[in-house]
Amino acid sequence: MNFDALFDAQLDTLKSEGNYRYFAELERTCGKFPRAGNHVDGEVNDVTVWCSNDYLGMGQNQLVIDAMCDAVKRTGTGAGGTRNISGTNHDHLLLEAELADLHNKEAALLFTSGYVSNWAALSTLGSRLKDCIILSDSGNHASMIEGIRHSRAQKVIWHHNDVADLEAKLATLPTNAPKIVAFESVYSMDGDIAPIKEIVEVAEKYGAMTYLDEVHGVGLYGPRGGGVAEAKGLMDRITLIEGTLGKAFGVVGGYITGSAVMCDFIRSFASGFIFTTALPPAVAAAARTSIAHLKVSQDERTQHQAQVAKLRARLDRAGIPHMMNDSHIVPVMIKDPTKTKMLADYLMSEWGIYVQPINYPTVPKGTERLRFTPSPLHTDADIDHLVNALSSLWKQCAIAHAVA
């Protein structure tokens, strides 16, 4: 059997639908974010990155860089194995203590990525709690969906951010069954924010555990960067808060926080923790430095919010349609996969602007978009250049402007 031919057939279908993913070959330059080099046909062209999840530019922060370099010189590069076999390092425990403090929880547990932390935690909770039922927001990330699926627990999907639908579904479930309400704080594609207080109140009413994914909130919201739940004063009412080190904190890795016994439970039973090599100690040291800095510094968050507001205002004046939300994510709606890819290519080749087209299956068909994430390091001139480019391309490509 010609397996490559089978692979090619499905890839060809993906390309014909306009949903094949092309990756730019970028090279970040230390100290110059959001600038990067774009490697094309042996040449390197300067571009401005407008879709990074390094939301605050902390991956370029000198304190974080120095912490990682110092830790490499102190500990070497790798962790030495899984956490169970020679891989638990002092830096891991220091970082877990920093994270527990960030979310005002008893304990924290590190994973190699935010995807793994969701997958491992939800699959372990759902499989080890007898007769567990997981109620999942319909907009939840693929990592949460996979974790729930792998758990083989009963799954109930409730309408996105619809507290009334959540309560209606909870009311039908057995009172003595363990229940987990799983949702996110900031949804990364639309940028909308969950009604956390209302969700928590309904979950408490029915005795359900709350599982909150804060990966797009940590570092960015709250007086110490604890996320949307901290900003709303709700961290103490949430059973488990999950987050990432790879977005606003500028490094890599994922984690969960909660009670000491719950973290120990997941540590002891989660295959995604037990059987994977631990994060390098240098990564843990850099992450701890980033978190500690953002606990006391408001500068990055203040400037970040200012640049997000400026971009939205300039897009409004230019009549460029973008999805309104209360977060830092600015989706510009194209609603056609081919045009979305074409616009992204033009922005890169003609204007030196890099933004990745967002197509199905990341978003539903007919909602294709360009997803912009302003940072504190994008200047006002960068914003003007972006909006001018979009305005020019809107006319060339005959895309409808927003209704004034």
Side-chain angles (χ1 to χ4, degrees):
M1 181 175 288
N2 187 342
F3 287 101
D4 280 352
L6 299 177
F7 303 147
D8 270 336
Q10 294 198 38
L11 289 171
D12 287 343
T13 299
L14 201 62
K15 291 173 183 177
S16 69
E17 293 172 345
N19 292 321
Y20 183 76
R21 296 166 191 258
Y22 297 88
F23 296 151
E25 185 180 347
L26 300 182
E27 183 177 3
R28 285 160 62 103
T29 302
C30 188
K32 293 187 177 180
F33 183 80
R35 309 288 179 257
N38 179 36
H39 290 254
V40 181
D41 298 329
E43 296 184 357
V44 182
N45 302 309
D46 289 336
V47 297
T48 300
V49 178
W50 270 101
C51 55
S52 175
N53 285 345
D54 187 358
Y55 292 131
L56 299 177
M58 292 301 291
Q60 306 285 306
N61 182 281
Q62 196 60 50
L63 292 172
V64 178
I65 293 168
D66 289 345
M68 182 174 283
C69 292
D70 291 345
V72 166
K73 294 174 183 177
R74 173 169 52 83
T75 68
T77 53
T82 67
R83 290 284 294 273
N84 302 281
I85 305 175
S86 80
T88 293
N89 286 267
H90 182 57
D91 288 289
H92 294 138
L93 300 181
L94 291 175
L95 175 55
E96 286 173 343
E98 194 78 57
L99 288 163
D101 175 76
L102 175 67
H103 293 292
N104 196 26
K105 298 296 184 185
E106 290 180 350
L109 187 66
L110 286 175
F111 293 86
T112 50
S113 73
Y115 190 104
V116 173
S117 57
N118 266 334
W119 179 87
L122 282 166
S123 65
T124 301
L125 292 167
S127 63
R128 301 291 306 190
L129 296 175
K130 182 177 172 53
D131 299 324
C132 182
I133 303 168
I134 303 179
L135 296 101
S136 178
D137 185 290
S138 63
N140 278 345
H141 188 264
S143 58
M144 301 175 77
I145 294 169
E146 281 297 299
I148 295 166
R149 183 187 65 81
H150 187 76
S151 77
R152 298 185 179 179
Q154 180 181 341
K155 177 179 66 175
V156 176
I157 298 174
W158 47 288
H159 299 319
H160 179 52
N161 282 345
D162 187 336
V163 181
D165 186 55
L166 171 62
E167 178 160 20
K169 288 181 165 63
L170 276 167
T172 67
L173 300 177
T175 57
N176 60 341
K179 293 175 280 292
I180 302 172
V181 175
F183 62 107
E184 301 180 38
S185 60
V186 180
Y187 288 84
S188 63
M189 288 300 117
D190 289 352
D192 52 331
I193 295 177
I196 299 177
K197 182 175 184 290
E198 291 80 2
I199 292 171
V200 168
E201 287 175 346
V202 167
E204 289 174 344
K205 178 179 176 181
Y206 290 89
M209 170 181 168
T210 43
Y211 183 111
L212 176 62
D213 177 324
E214 279 267 31
V215 297
H216 293 277
V218 290
L220 301 171
Y221 302 97
R224 299 198 310 157
V228 180
E230 184 193 26
K232 295 180 179 295
L234 295 166
M235 288 196 300
D236 62 315
R237 296 174 65 182
I238 296 166
T239 317
L240 185 154
I241 297 176
E242 183 267 351
T244 183
L245 307 172
K247 293 182 171 63
F249 294 132
V251 193
V252 67
Y255 65 88
I256 61 166
T257 64
S259 71
V261 69
M262 182 183 66
C263 288
D264 191 21
F265 176 82
I266 293 171
R267 180 191 71 87
S268 300
F269 292 111
S271 63
F273 176 87
I274 295 169
F275 297 108
T276 191
T277 299
L279 288 173
V283 169
R288 182 164 65 94
T289 298
S290 181
I291 294 163
H293 173 76
L294 290 173
K295 281 180 179 178
V296 297
S297 174
Q298 299 298 326
D299 293 345
E300 292 82 3
R301 284 189 284 275
T302 300
Q303 182 63 12
H304 178 236
Q305 292 163 10
Q307 296 311 91
V308 171
K310 286 176 184 175
L311 176 58
R312 289 190 185 281
R314 288 284 285 111
L315 290 171
D316 285 341
R317 286 200 296 270
I320 304 296
H322 60 100
M323 188 175 290
M324 296 304 299
N325 58 56
D326 294 323
S327 78
H328 57 284
I329 294 166
V330 185
V332 170
M333 307 306 293
I334 312 300
K335 301 182 180 181
D336 177 271
T338 303
K339 284 186 176 180
T340 304
K341 173 67 167 58
M342 178 180 64
L343 282 170
D345 289 345
Y346 284 159
L347 286 168
M348 179 78 100
S349 62
E350 297 180 16
W351 296 84
I353 291 168
Y354 172 65
V355 60
Q356 186 72 2
I358 306 295
N359 293 339
Y360 177 84
T362 305
V363 294
K365 292 180 179 180
T367 69
E368 294 81 8
R369 67 200 64 185
L370 299 174
R371 175 185 176 273
F372 295 97
T373 54
S375 78
L377 302 178
H378 285 93
T379 65
D380 292 356
D382 290 333
I383 293 173
D384 288 340
H385 182 64
L386 171 62
V387 175
N388 289 339
L390 287 172
S391 296
S392 175
L393 292 175
W394 237 248
K395 296 172 184 175
Q396 293 178 36
C397 300
I399 297 174
H401 281 63
V403 178

